[in-house]
Amino acid sequence: MSDQFDQLQENIVQNDVPENKDQELFDQMASREYKDKKQNFQIEEDDGEIQDQPVSAISEVVKPEEKQKNSFSIKKAETKRIVHQAALERKTEAFEQTKSFELHRSTQILSHRQLVDSVWARLQKVVGSSDETMKFLVSFMRQRIEQEELQLKYSQTASLNKLFKDFDGRIMQCNYPEFSKAVRTMDSAMERQTDQIKIFITWMQNQTRERLEQEMNNFTNQNRELVNSYNRYKKTLIDLDKDVLKYYTKYDKMYSNITIKGKKPQKDFLRAELKYKQAASKLIVFQREFGTWLLNSWNELKQLETQRLDLVTHTLVEFQNQVMNVYGKIPQHDSIIGALNAVKIQQEVQNLYSSDFVLTKQELEYISTEQQQELIKYFQNFQVIDKYADQSHPLILKQFSAQRDVGTIGKTWIDTGIIITVDHYFLTFDGKPTRFSKAENKYPLDGMKMTTRNALELEIQFVIPGLVMDSKKKLLIQFKTSDELEEMMYFLETVGQNKFALN
C-alpha cells in the first residue's frame, strides 16, 4: 500500500487540470513563485458529520461549471480514500516499530540497571565488612594501650633496691655484695622495660590516632562521596524515566487519535516519535554513564581497600616487633613476621573485588551469553540497538541534504538535513538526521510559497498557524547543484501541496 501511496502522490498532480494546457505545473523560470493550482473537484467535509462517517460515505459535490468532469472528481475522491488509507498504514507501521523498540529498550535498561544496583550493593557489603575490621583493630589498640598503661604504673613503683637495707637506709653490701649486684641488675632491667613500655604506648597512640583512625575517616569520606554520587545517578535516572514515559504516552495517545476515522492530525507524528526517541536516547546515554561510573567506583574502592590492607599488615608487623622489644622474643616471632610480610596484598584485594566474587554465576552468564559481551564492555559500552535503524522510515516521504541560513547579519550556512513527513511537515535537522535526531524546526507545508534567489538558493515562506492569527516564517536553503534545488521544488509542488492527500 505504501508503494501505491507514493505513486498516487505523483499521479495526483499529473492528472490535476489536464485539460488546461495553458497552465503548467511549474513556471519554467526558477525565480517565479509557484502558484497554488485550483482543484477540479470539491469534497464535502461537514465538521459535524465526517468524523463518524466511513470514507466510502463521503459525498462528492461537483462544481456546476464543471459537470463534464464528474467522473474525474469521483476518481479523485477514490484517490483520497486510498491515499488516506496508505498514510494510516505507514503510521501504523511506524508505531509498531516504535512500540517494539520501546519494549526492547525498557527490557535492556531494566537488566542493565538491576546489574549495576546489584554490583553496587555487594561492593558496599564488602566495604561494610572492611569498616568493621578497622573498628575492631582500633578497639584492640585502645584496649592494649590501657593494659600497657597499667603495666607502666606497676613498673614505675616496682623496685628491689630496698632488699637487705638497715634501719638508717644503708645497704648491707658488706654482708651480701654479690646479691646486691644481682638486685641492681634486675632493677635496671625493669627500668629499661618501663622505658620500652612508654615507647610502646606512644607508638600505639600515634598509630591509632594518626594512621588507623585517619585512614578510617578518609575511607569513609570517599565512600560517602561515592554513595552520594550513586544516589544522584538514581534520582536523575528516575527523572529521565519520567520524561521517556511522558513522551511515549503522548506518542501512543496521538496514534490512538490518528486511528479514529476522519480525525485529522493536529501535530506531526514523526516529530512526536523523534521527541520520544530523543528522551529515550538521553536515558540510554545516561545509563551508559551510570555503568561507566560503577566501573570507576569499583576500581576506586579496590584501591582504597588495597591501601587499607597494606596499612593493617604493616601495623601488625610493627606491633609484633614492639611487643618483642618490651617483653622479649617469643618462639613464634619469626614465623609471625614472615607470614605477615608474605601477604600478597594486591592479589588478596583483587580476589575479593573480582567479578567472580561480586557477581553471581547467573549474572555472569547473562552478560557473556545473552548479551555476548565482556563484563567491562557491557557496563561502559551499554547501548540499545534499534533493529529498524537501517530501514527507510515509513513516516518520511522525502529526504534532502542542503544548507540553511541561520545568520542574523549576513549569511551563515550550516549543514542541514531536511525531511518531508507523511503529515505534510517540513522538518530541518543539524547535519544528517537519524531515528534519534532532534528536529530543529518544524514548518507546515499548507500555504507555503517558494522563491528562488539564484540557481542554488531557495527561499520558502511558511504559514505558521496561531491561536489568534497566523504568522509567516522564511527559510533560506542552499543546495550544491541546481538539480537538487529543482528536485525539491518539484516534490514540494507536486506532493507537498496536496492538502487532502494525507489527512
Side-chain angles (χ1 to χ4, degrees):
M1 182 63 76
S2 297
D3 296 335
Q4 184 182 13
F5 164 73
D6 295 330
Q7 184 64 38
L8 284 170
Q9 287 283 11
E10 298 184 3
N11 290 340
I12 288 171
V13 174
Q14 295 173 5
N15 293 325
D16 199 18
V17 199
E19 295 176 333
N20 188 354
K21 297 182 179 179
D22 296 330
Q23 181 180 359
E24 297 292 335
L25 291 177
F26 305 102
D27 195 315
Q28 298 300 321
M29 300 298 295
S31 63
R32 180 180 176 181
E33 292 187 0
Y34 280 80
K35 298 180 179 180
D36 294 330
K37 294 182 288 296
K38 296 181 180 180
Q39 303 294 330
N40 294 326
F41 67 94
Q42 177 180 356
I43 298 176
E44 182 181 9
E45 293 182 341
D46 187 277
D47 293 337
E49 297 177 0
I50 194 170
Q51 302 293 333
D52 301 322
Q53 290 184 351
V55 176
S56 60
I58 297 178
S59 57
E60 302 169 4
V61 180
V62 180
K63 295 180 180 180
E65 67 274 21
E66 298 179 355
K67 292 183 179 180
Q68 69 275 17
K69 298 180 181 178
N70 182 59
S71 61
F72 181 66
S73 297
I74 295 176
K75 180 179 179 181
K76 283 212 167 183
E78 178 63 14
T79 298
K80 174 184 177 178
R81 185 191 69 78
I82 296 175
V83 169
H84 174 83
Q85 182 62 30
L88 180 59
E89 289 181 2
R90 280 175 174 253
K91 293 178 181 180
T92 299
E93 181 183 358
F95 177 78
E96 291 299 328
Q97 290 181 2
T98 304
K99 182 179 178 181
S100 174
F101 171 79
E102 168 58 16
L103 178 61
H104 177 62
R105 180 207 66 81
S106 59
T107 302
Q108 294 297 309
I109 285 284
L110 179 62
S111 298
H112 189 270
R113 194 174 302 174
Q114 284 179 340
L115 275 172
V116 172
D117 291 340
S118 296
V119 169
W120 178 250
R122 293 182 193 123
L123 289 174
Q124 286 302 300
K125 187 176 181 180
V126 173
V127 169
S129 175
S130 180
D131 284 343
E132 290 301 317
T133 296
M134 291 301 295
K135 291 177 182 178
F136 174 81
L137 181 57
V138 169
S139 176
F140 169 82
M141 297 292 280
R142 288 172 178 170
Q143 291 177 6
R144 187 59 186 257
I145 290 173
E146 292 177 359
Q147 293 175 6
E148 294 301 325
E149 287 176 339
L150 290 175
Q151 182 65 28
L152 178 62
K153 183 178 181 181
Y154 171 77
S155 299
Q156 288 175 335
T157 59
S159 177
L160 299 174
N161 60 2
K162 294 182 180 180
L163 292 176
F164 294 102
K165 278 190 175 182
D166 59 10
F167 65 95
D168 60 358
R170 296 178 60 185
I171 299 176
M172 297 165 49
Q173 295 182 357
C174 58
N175 294 328
Y176 308 110
E178 293 299 324
F179 176 81
S180 177
K181 183 179 179 181
V183 169
R184 286 196 302 270
T185 302
M186 291 178 65
D187 278 342
S188 296
M190 286 190 291
E191 289 176 1
R192 286 195 300 270
Q193 187 180 57
T194 299
D195 292 339
Q196 290 297 325
I197 291 174
K198 291 179 181 179
I199 295 174
F200 188 24
I201 291 174
T202 301
W203 176 83
M204 286 191 292
Q205 290 173 337
N206 292 337
Q207 189 73 5
T208 301
R209 182 176 58 254
E210 298 177 4
R211 300 289 301 277
L212 299 181
E213 291 182 346
Q214 186 65 38
E215 191 279 341
M216 286 180 62
N217 292 333
N218 291 339
F219 195 112
T220 299
N221 290 336
Q222 292 187 56
N223 184 61
R224 185 184 296 115
E225 290 180 3
L226 293 177
V227 171
N228 291 338
S229 180
Y230 171 81
N231 292 333
R232 287 193 296 269
Y233 268 100
K234 294 291 289 183
K235 182 180 182 302
T236 303
L237 287 169
I238 291 174
D239 294 338
L240 293 175
D241 283 334
K242 292 179 180 178
D243 287 342
V244 174
L245 179 61
K246 178 182 71 174
Y247 286 112
Y248 184 78
T249 301
K250 288 183 178 180
Y251 176 77
D252 182 76
K253 184 177 180 180
M254 189 174 180
Y255 177 74
S256 298
N257 292 335
I258 289 172
T259 57
I260 299 175
K261 189 175 292 296
K263 189 164 185 177
K264 297 182 180 181
Q266 301 299 317
K267 296 182 179 180
D268 183 61
F269 195 46
L270 176 59
R271 192 161 184 261
E273 177 187 317
L274 292 177
K275 285 184 176 181
Y276 152 72
K277 288 287 184 67
Q278 274 282 299
S281 177
K282 188 176 181 180
L283 174 58
I284 293 169
V285 170
F286 198 78
Q287 183 66 41
R288 180 163 58 246
E289 293 177 1
F290 190 31
T292 302
W293 172 87
L294 174 69
L295 293 176
N296 294 335
S297 301
W298 194 341
N299 288 328
E300 185 172 346
L301 290 174
K302 190 188 302 182
Q303 292 175 1
L304 290 172
E305 185 69 16
T306 301
Q307 296 171 4
R308 170 169 285 182
L309 181 57
D310 182 69
L311 172 62
V312 171
T313 302
H314 282 81
T315 297
L316 294 180
V317 170
E318 186 62 25
F319 175 83
Q320 188 63 32
N321 288 329
Q322 289 289 338
V323 171
M324 182 188 69
N325 293 337
V326 175
Y327 300 104
K329 185 176 181 180
I330 61 175
Q332 299 87 356
H333 176 81
D334 291 340
S335 61
I336 293 173
I337 298 300
L340 289 172
N341 288 330
V343 174
K344 297 179 180 179
I345 296 174
Q346 295 282 353
Q347 188 62 45
E348 292 275 276
V349 176
Q350 183 65 35
N351 293 338
L352 180 63
Y353 280 81
S354 67
S355 57
D356 291 335
F357 183 83
V358 177
L359 277 79
T360 66
K361 182 179 179 181
Q362 291 76 11
E363 290 169 341
L364 292 172
E365 288 179 352
Y366 170 79
I367 295 174
S368 62
T369 304
E370 293 191 31
Q371 296 297 321
Q372 296 182 345
Q373 293 190 58
E374 298 176 0
L375 178 68
I376 294 178
K377 290 184 178 180
Y378 174 71
F379 283 114
Q380 71 181 13
N381 297 336
F382 172 76
Q383 57 183 335
V384 179
I385 303 299
D386 183 0
K387 63 181 180 180
Y388 304 103
D390 296 331
Q391 299 182 17
S392 59
H393 200 295
L395 300 179
I396 297 177
L397 293 181
K398 190 71 173 177
Q399 193 165 341
F400 299 92
S401 294
Q403 290 184 318
R404 73 181 190 276
D405 179 24
V406 296
T408 54
I409 300 177
K411 295 179 181 179
T412 303
W413 301 102
I414 63 172
D415 291 339
T416 300
I418 299 171
I419 287 178
I420 312 300
T421 73
V422 167
D423 285 323
H424 273 197
Y425 279 91
F426 187 104
L427 306 183
T428 65
F429 301 81
D430 290 343
K432 184 178 180 180
T434 69
R435 289 190 178 229
F436 294 89
S437 297
K438 175 185 177 182
E440 299 297 327
N441 303 104
K442 179 194 74 171
Y443 307 107
L445 292 182
D446 291 348
M448 71 159 193
K449 294 181 180 180
M450 294 182 290
T451 305
T452 55
R453 291 283 190 88
N454 54 52
L456 299 179
E457 294 182 10
L458 174 66
E459 182 182 88
I460 307 178
Q461 178 177 280
F462 298 97
V463 178
I464 311 299
L467 295 176
V468 179
M469 59 182 298
D470 296 343
S471 61
K472 294 181 180 180
K473 176 71 175 179
K474 290 183 178 180
L475 178 66
L476 183 61
I477 305 172
Q478 178 177 259
F479 296 88
K480 292 181 179 180
T481 66
S482 58
D483 289 342
E484 293 177 352
L485 183 148
E486 293 174 2
E487 181 185 5
M488 173 175 280
M489 294 182 69
Y490 176 80
F491 182 83
L492 292 179
E493 183 67 23
T494 59
V495 178
Q497 294 280 42
N498 293 319
K499 300 178 182 180
F500 66 84
L502 303 172
N503 296 330

